Amino acid sequence: MGTPMVLLIDDDEINNYVNSSILHKEFPHLEIKQFTSAEEALAHILSNADIPYYIFLDINMPLMNGWEFLDELDKLDIILNLTIFMLTSSIDQADRDRVKTYSRVNQFLVKPLQRTFVQSLFNK
């Protein structure tokens, strides 16, 4: 297994930039890739399947949303080392309930990414 990589998947470049800055401030050596397209992020994961990933995934995105991204992962017949967090602006209880139906998702987080959460995640 390789060194863990963080993937920020959000169609809003500003959100990706802010979250990347928060992560880099706490952990400057962390490798972070930003994607504004869930399809591109999925292609990256599949072409680099041996890397463990921490994924911060938005729900509402054009073309492929966060739910569709998770559905595509579930269709794969390969083992991936993924730690997925839904990071969204949604405060809809239906989204909170739906995320519980995806075993791959570790936690539902509301934007913005909190520094204390990042510290607890990577200081284990």
Side-chain angles (χ1 to χ4, degrees):
M1 283 302 223
T3 303
M5 180 184 295
V6 173
L7 302 184
L8 300 173
I9 307 172
D10 191 323
D11 60 309
D12 185 330
E13 291 180 17
I14 294 171
N15 278 325
N16 280 338
Y17 175 80
V18 168
N19 292 330
S20 180
S21 296
I22 290 167
L23 288 159
H24 269 300
K25 185 168 186 164
E26 295 300 320
F27 301 96
H29 301 295
L30 202 57
E31 186 172 0
I32 301 169
K33 289 203 179 294
Q34 300 175 34
F35 293 92
T36 55
S37 159
E39 296 94 329
E40 289 176 15
L42 186 60
H44 173 81
I45 291 167
L46 294 177
S47 64
N48 301 279
D50 60 328
I51 297 174
Y53 293 100
Y54 287 89
I55 299 173
F56 293 91
L57 176 65
D58 188 25
I59 292 175
N60 298 310
M61 295 181 284
L63 302 177
M64 179 186 284
N65 66 33
W67 306 122
E68 293 164 333
F69 176 86
L70 293 170
D71 291 339
E72 289 301 311
L73 285 176
D74 284 345
K75 293 177 188 175
L76 298 175
D77 194 25
I78 59 174
I79 295 173
L80 298 168
N81 185 351
L82 308 176
T83 303
I84 301 175
F85 303 95
M86 293 302 277
L87 180 61
T88 180
S89 56
S90 172
I91 55 170
D92 188 341
Q93 186 60 44
D95 287 334
R96 288 179 180 275
D97 293 340
R98 185 173 179 185
V99 82
K100 294 173 187 172
T101 68
Y102 289 91
S103 61
R104 289 185 183 269
V105 179
N106 290 61
Q107 198 168 342
F108 185 96
L109 305 171
V110 176
K111 293 177 187 176
L113 186 59
Q114 299 296 311
R115 181 170 288 139
T116 52
F117 177 80
V118 170
Q119 290 168 339
S120 70
L121 183 64
F122 295 104
N123 277 332
K124 291 181 181 176

